Amino acid sequence: MNHLKREIKEKSLKYHIITYGCQMNSHESEKIAGLLEEMGYGPADSKEDADFILFNTCCVRENAEQKTFGNVGRIKKLKLKNKDLLVAVCGCMMQQKQAAQKLLDTFPFVDIVFGTHNIHELPNMILAVKEKHERVYQAPELTELHDDVPQKRAAGPLASVNIMYGCNNFCSYCIVPYVRGRERSRNAEEIIREIAELSPHGYREVMLLGQNVNSYDGGIGFPQLLTRICEETDIPRIRFMTSHPKDLSDELISVIGRYPQICRHIHLPVQSGSSRILREMNRNYTREAYIGLVEKIRKNIPGIAITTDIIVGFPGETEADFADTLSLVREIRFDSAFTFVYSPRSGTRAAEMPDQIGEEIQSKRIIELVALQNEITEQRNREYVGKTLEVLVEGISTRDPGHMCGRTSTSKMVNFPGPPSLTGEFADIKITQGKKTTLFGEMIKEEP
Ligand code: SAH
Ligand code: SF4
Ligand code: F3S
């Protein structure tokens, strides 16, 4: 390994990572970057000047998979130009044997393929390719945790921390439990230690990650973990995702209410407004239970924003079922929603169900749902006009270089004129305009 490290340093080899999928994947790419930098690789500006290109893949919907195949294919020409170039593909899609095999067969220039359980083995895989000139393909399912790897966090005030891996819920449409394995929670002490080290390094907000944080069990439960993070670390803001509605406890609601550090935002995927479809989805709650839960959360934590995920066109979804989803969206008035067309995933129960819905109906339904939610999102954003909100400034706005952007505790993106030196600071912003995706405002000057 030392020999390899020397070679990487001498040639100043560089890496480039392309990440698809959710925040879990983005965070794992930070770990991969940490491992590569420990081996001596430096960050490249683009694929074109990289000597190690890695694709971290997602397979939650079919279009995520198609994108990967297209983009990996385009790397071939770079491989012909640079004989040092190694190409690796990892992540959820590669945890599936069939998809991994298809990728290996289609692209003989891919050197390394690995899954979601063995990121820590990457240095050894690189060593094997460099020394034995062999392709490496490893996607075991491990039950123990191997998350003690260096991390290279993205620049800025936001940090992600994984609190648990895997999922036991087996929603009938979802591939995640198959590619991420069973639930494994990290030890609470380790998590707290990791978070305690964030603020001295300039981080101001932590996102706790897990497929279902409510079932965290690292010696203590999730509400206790949040309590300890609030009591024992000085991180000013804490977020988490995702919460499953079936087991969001009263205790969790009261902990969120008690600590102002915990952001006033819950992402609570509902998936459908029809109790019948929810049962087919194996979600373990009804429409009524979901609505009751939202009422309880709003009553106990005033001003909290609630966002959601919704799937349309699940097998057997009738016009009446879809109307139930629309009426739920109207009744709850989510702050925003991620909306998806159902995508059959092979190996899941829903993929085998009769009455798969045709594309035409699916696209009609998603258009109608998106239009409704957009209207509600914009109305809700307009309700912020005139209010002054605390914003954690994340950096220069991508839309307008004279503006800065950041989020409120309720996770609304805010743009306002201000200097880049505000990055990482909290600023009080008076909201002047509420648009579909963004609030606009101006900074309240502090008294000298
Ligand atoms: N564990 C989280 C996130 C899972 S994936 C949760 O349970 O909320 C994120 C979202 O993708 C899901 O909430 C769901 O809305 C969507 N999704 C998952 N599988 C899908 C599929 N087969 N087709 C369409 N959307 C899907
Ligand atoms: Fe998928 Fe359901 Fe697990 Fe979320 S809770 S990852 S939707 S199986
Ligand atoms: Fe995330 Fe996609 Fe995997 S949503 S958990 S990267 S399948």
Side-chain angles (χ1 to χ4, degrees), residues 166-177 211-212 244 271 283:
C167 182
N168 291 352
N169 289 320
F170 290 95
C171 302
S172 62
Y173 51 81
C174 185
I175 195 75
V176 171
Q211 294 299 347
N212 175 16
H244 195 304
Q271 312 300 359
R283 291 290 289 179

PDB file of all heavy atoms in Angstrom, residues 166-177 211-212 244 271 283, ligand 2:
ATOM      1  N   GLY A 166     -29.401   1.032   6.385  1.00  0.00           N
ATOM      2  CA  GLY A 166     -30.349  -0.015   6.039  1.00  0.00           C
ATOM      3  C   GLY A 166     -31.786   0.335   6.362  1.00  0.00           C
ATOM      4  O   GLY A 166     -32.100   1.419   6.859  1.00  0.00           O
ATOM      5  N   CYS A 167     -32.689  -0.597   6.033  1.00  0.00           N
ATOM      6  CA  CYS A 167     -34.116  -0.397   6.276  1.00  0.00           C
ATOM      7  C   CYS A 167     -34.790  -1.758   6.421  1.00  0.00           C
ATOM      8  O   CYS A 167     -34.484  -2.686   5.687  1.00  0.00           O
ATOM      9  CB  CYS A 167     -34.751   0.361   5.109  1.00  0.00           C
ATOM     10  SG  CYS A 167     -36.505   0.677   5.385  1.00  0.00           S
ATOM     11  N   ASN A 168     -35.704  -1.851   7.401  1.00  0.00           N
ATOM     12  CA  ASN A 168     -36.435  -3.110   7.615  1.00  0.00           C
ATOM     13  C   ASN A 168     -37.887  -3.026   7.176  1.00  0.00           C
ATOM     14  O   ASN A 168     -38.654  -3.936   7.438  1.00  0.00           O
ATOM     15  CB  ASN A 168     -36.445  -3.456   9.120  1.00  0.00           C
ATOM     16  CG  ASN A 168     -35.072  -3.846   9.626  1.00  0.00           C
ATOM     17  OD1 ASN A 168     -34.136  -4.002   8.841  1.00  0.00           O
ATOM     18  ND2 ASN A 168     -34.939  -3.982  10.925  1.00  0.00           N
ATOM     19  N   ASN A 169     -38.289  -1.923   6.556  1.00  0.00           N
ATOM     20  CA  ASN A 169     -39.726  -1.702   6.376  1.00  0.00           C
ATOM     21  C   ASN A 169     -40.347  -2.412   5.176  1.00  0.00           C
ATOM     22  O   ASN A 169     -41.531  -2.707   5.191  1.00  0.00           O
ATOM     23  CB  ASN A 169     -40.015  -0.212   6.294  1.00  0.00           C
ATOM     24  CG  ASN A 169     -39.820   0.440   7.651  1.00  0.00           C
ATOM     25  OD1 ASN A 169     -40.191  -0.120   8.668  1.00  0.00           O
ATOM     26  ND2 ASN A 169     -39.195   1.588   7.658  1.00  0.00           N
ATOM     27  N   PHE A 170     -39.557  -2.648   4.154  1.00  0.00           N
ATOM     28  CA  PHE A 170     -40.079  -3.334   2.968  1.00  0.00           C
ATOM     29  C   PHE A 170     -41.404  -2.762   2.485  1.00  0.00           C
ATOM     30  O   PHE A 170     -42.377  -3.499   2.312  1.00  0.00           O
ATOM     31  CB  PHE A 170     -40.191  -4.850   3.211  1.00  0.00           C
ATOM     32  CG  PHE A 170     -38.844  -5.518   3.306  1.00  0.00           C
ATOM     33  CD1 PHE A 170     -38.243  -5.729   4.539  1.00  0.00           C
ATOM     34  CD2 PHE A 170     -38.170  -5.900   2.154  1.00  0.00           C
ATOM     35  CE1 PHE A 170     -36.991  -6.327   4.624  1.00  0.00           C
ATOM     36  CE2 PHE A 170     -36.913  -6.504   2.226  1.00  0.00           C
ATOM     37  CZ  PHE A 170     -36.328  -6.716   3.462  1.00  0.00           C
ATOM     38  N   CYS A 171     -41.455  -1.462   2.261  1.00  0.00           N
ATOM     39  CA  CYS A 171     -42.582  -0.896   1.522  1.00  0.00           C
ATOM     40  C   CYS A 171     -42.602  -1.641   0.189  1.00  0.00           C
ATOM     41  O   CYS A 171     -41.545  -1.884  -0.391  1.00  0.00           O
ATOM     42  CB  CYS A 171     -42.392   0.599   1.326  1.00  0.00           C
ATOM     43  SG  CYS A 171     -42.219   1.478   2.892  1.00  0.00           S
ATOM     44  N   SER A 172     -43.790  -2.000  -0.292  1.00  0.00           N
ATOM     45  CA  SER A 172     -43.838  -3.004  -1.362  1.00  0.00           C
ATOM     46  C   SER A 172     -43.237  -2.514  -2.685  1.00  0.00           C
ATOM     47  O   SER A 172     -42.894  -3.309  -3.544  1.00  0.00           O
ATOM     48  CB  SER A 172     -45.282  -3.462  -1.578  1.00  0.00           C
ATOM     49  OG  SER A 172     -46.075  -2.365  -1.993  1.00  0.00           O
ATOM     50  N   TYR A 173     -43.097  -1.195  -2.860  1.00  0.00           N
ATOM     51  CA  TYR A 173     -42.555  -0.633  -4.105  1.00  0.00           C
ATOM     52  C   TYR A 173     -41.052  -0.442  -4.062  1.00  0.00           C
ATOM     53  O   TYR A 173     -40.432  -0.135  -5.062  1.00  0.00           O
ATOM     54  CB  TYR A 173     -43.198   0.742  -4.388  1.00  0.00           C
ATOM     55  CG  TYR A 173     -43.133   1.660  -3.184  1.00  0.00           C
ATOM     56  CD1 TYR A 173     -41.971   2.372  -2.895  1.00  0.00           C
ATOM     57  CD2 TYR A 173     -44.206   1.769  -2.305  1.00  0.00           C
ATOM     58  CE1 TYR A 173     -41.893   3.175  -1.772  1.00  0.00           C
ATOM     59  CE2 TYR A 173     -44.131   2.573  -1.182  1.00  0.00           C
ATOM     60  CZ  TYR A 173     -42.970   3.272  -0.918  1.00  0.00           C
ATOM     61  OH  TYR A 173     -42.885   4.033   0.202  1.00  0.00           O
ATOM     62  N   CYS A 174     -40.432  -0.596  -2.880  1.00  0.00           N
ATOM     63  CA  CYS A 174     -39.118   0.015  -2.664  1.00  0.00           C
ATOM     64  C   CYS A 174     -37.968  -0.981  -2.707  1.00  0.00           C
ATOM     65  O   CYS A 174     -38.010  -2.046  -2.088  1.00  0.00           O
ATOM     66  CB  CYS A 174     -39.123   0.744  -1.326  1.00  0.00           C
ATOM     67  SG  CYS A 174     -37.611   1.660  -1.027  1.00  0.00           S
ATOM     68  N   ILE A 175     -36.903  -0.598  -3.386  1.00  0.00           N
ATOM     69  CA  ILE A 175     -35.732  -1.455  -3.548  1.00  0.00           C
ATOM     70  C   ILE A 175     -34.720  -1.256  -2.409  1.00  0.00           C
ATOM     71  O   ILE A 175     -33.831  -2.082  -2.206  1.00  0.00           O
ATOM     72  CB  ILE A 175     -35.078  -1.163  -4.936  1.00  0.00           C
ATOM     73  CG1 ILE A 175     -34.079  -2.246  -5.352  1.00  0.00           C
ATOM     74  CG2 ILE A 175     -34.377   0.184  -4.960  1.00  0.00           C
ATOM     75  CD1 ILE A 175     -34.703  -3.515  -5.825  1.00  0.00           C
ATOM     76  N   VAL A 176     -34.870  -0.145  -1.670  1.00  0.00           N
ATOM     77  CA  VAL A 176     -33.833   0.224  -0.696  1.00  0.00           C
ATOM     78  C   VAL A 176     -33.492  -0.890   0.303  1.00  0.00           C
ATOM     79  O   VAL A 176     -32.309  -1.176   0.526  1.00  0.00           O
ATOM     80  CB  VAL A 176     -34.201   1.554   0.022  1.00  0.00           C
ATOM     81  CG1 VAL A 176     -33.260   1.837   1.190  1.00  0.00           C
ATOM     82  CG2 VAL A 176     -34.179   2.717  -0.966  1.00  0.00           C
ATOM     83  N   PRO A 177     -34.486  -1.588   0.908  1.00  0.00           N
ATOM     84  CA  PRO A 177     -34.118  -2.644   1.853  1.00  0.00           C
ATOM     85  C   PRO A 177     -33.259  -3.746   1.210  1.00  0.00           C
ATOM     86  O   PRO A 177     -32.461  -4.387   1.900  1.00  0.00           O
ATOM     87  CB  PRO A 177     -35.469  -3.205   2.300  1.00  0.00           C
ATOM     88  CG  PRO A 177     -36.423  -2.088   2.079  1.00  0.00           C
ATOM     89  CD  PRO A 177     -35.944  -1.388   0.848  1.00  0.00           C
ATOM     90  N   GLN A 211     -32.655   5.867   6.874  1.00  0.00           N
ATOM     91  CA  GLN A 211     -33.867   5.627   6.071  1.00  0.00           C
ATOM     92  C   GLN A 211     -35.122   5.776   6.914  1.00  0.00           C
ATOM     93  O   GLN A 211     -36.174   6.128   6.420  1.00  0.00           O
ATOM     94  CB  GLN A 211     -33.845   4.237   5.419  1.00  0.00           C
ATOM     95  CG  GLN A 211     -32.766   4.051   4.366  1.00  0.00           C
ATOM     96  CD  GLN A 211     -32.905   4.999   3.200  1.00  0.00           C
ATOM     97  OE1 GLN A 211     -33.924   5.657   3.019  1.00  0.00           O
ATOM     98  NE2 GLN A 211     -31.864   5.090   2.393  1.00  0.00           N
ATOM     99  N   ASN A 212     -35.019   5.473   8.194  1.00  0.00           N
ATOM    100  CA  ASN A 212     -36.147   5.682   9.101  1.00  0.00           C
ATOM    101  C   ASN A 212     -35.582   5.981  10.481  1.00  0.00           C
ATOM    102  O   ASN A 212     -35.385   5.076  11.295  1.00  0.00           O
ATOM    103  CB  ASN A 212     -37.049   4.439   9.136  1.00  0.00           C
ATOM    104  CG  ASN A 212     -38.154   4.581  10.170  1.00  0.00           C
ATOM    105  OD1 ASN A 212     -38.430   5.670  10.649  1.00  0.00           O
ATOM    106  ND2 ASN A 212     -38.767   3.464  10.529  1.00  0.00           N
ATOM    107  N   HIS A 244     -40.497   7.999   9.406  1.00  0.00           N
ATOM    108  CA  HIS A 244     -41.618   7.219   8.887  1.00  0.00           C
ATOM    109  C   HIS A 244     -42.846   7.531   9.740  1.00  0.00           C
ATOM    110  O   HIS A 244     -42.776   7.475  10.963  1.00  0.00           O
ATOM    111  CB  HIS A 244     -41.273   5.733   8.960  1.00  0.00           C
ATOM    112  CG  HIS A 244     -42.164   4.864   8.143  1.00  0.00           C
ATOM    113  ND1 HIS A 244     -43.530   4.857   8.293  1.00  0.00           N
ATOM    114  CD2 HIS A 244     -41.884   3.988   7.150  1.00  0.00           C
ATOM    115  CE1 HIS A 244     -44.057   3.994   7.424  1.00  0.00           C
ATOM    116  NE2 HIS A 244     -43.072   3.453   6.717  1.00  0.00           N
ATOM    117  N   GLN A 271     -46.744   9.232   0.752  1.00  0.00           N
ATOM    118  CA  GLN A 271     -46.788   8.310  -0.414  1.00  0.00           C
ATOM    119  C   GLN A 271     -48.147   8.266  -1.119  1.00  0.00           C
ATOM    120  O   GLN A 271     -48.197   8.265  -2.341  1.00  0.00           O
ATOM    121  CB  GLN A 271     -46.359   6.875  -0.065  1.00  0.00           C
ATOM    122  CG  GLN A 271     -45.068   6.736   0.744  1.00  0.00           C
ATOM    123  CD  GLN A 271     -43.818   7.289   0.087  1.00  0.00           C
ATOM    124  OE1 GLN A 271     -43.857   7.792  -1.025  1.00  0.00           O
ATOM    125  NE2 GLN A 271     -42.693   7.216   0.771  1.00  0.00           N
ATOM    126  N   ARG A 283     -47.379   0.390   4.186  1.00  0.00           N
ATOM    127  CA  ARG A 283     -46.887   1.557   4.925  1.00  0.00           C
ATOM    128  C   ARG A 283     -47.274   1.526   6.411  1.00  0.00           C
ATOM    129  O   ARG A 283     -46.748   2.307   7.204  1.00  0.00           O
ATOM    130  CB  ARG A 283     -47.392   2.855   4.280  1.00  0.00           C
ATOM    131  CG  ARG A 283     -46.771   3.149   2.921  1.00  0.00           C
ATOM    132  CD  ARG A 283     -45.314   3.519   3.028  1.00  0.00           C
ATOM    133  NE  ARG A 283     -45.099   4.837   3.624  1.00  0.00           N
ATOM    134  CZ  ARG A 283     -43.889   5.356   3.839  1.00  0.00           C
ATOM    135  NH1 ARG A 283     -42.797   4.664   3.549  1.00  0.00           N
ATOM    136  NH2 ARG A 283     -43.774   6.545   4.368  1.00  0.00           N
TER     137      ARG A 283
HETATM  138 FE1  SF4 B   2     -38.068   2.327   1.147  1.00  0.00          FE
HETATM  139 FE2  SF4 B   2     -40.082   2.247   2.835  1.00  0.00          FE
HETATM  140 FE3  SF4 B   2     -37.599   1.800   3.718  1.00  0.00          FE
HETATM  141 FE4  SF4 B   2     -38.312   4.242   2.943  1.00  0.00          FE
HETATM  142  S1  SF4 B   2     -39.157   3.095   4.684  1.00  0.00           S
HETATM  143  S2  SF4 B   2     -36.420   3.169   2.401  1.00  0.00           S
HETATM  144  S3  SF4 B   2     -39.713   3.841   1.272  1.00  0.00           S
HETATM  145  S4  SF4 B   2     -38.752   0.500   2.301  1.00  0.00           S
END
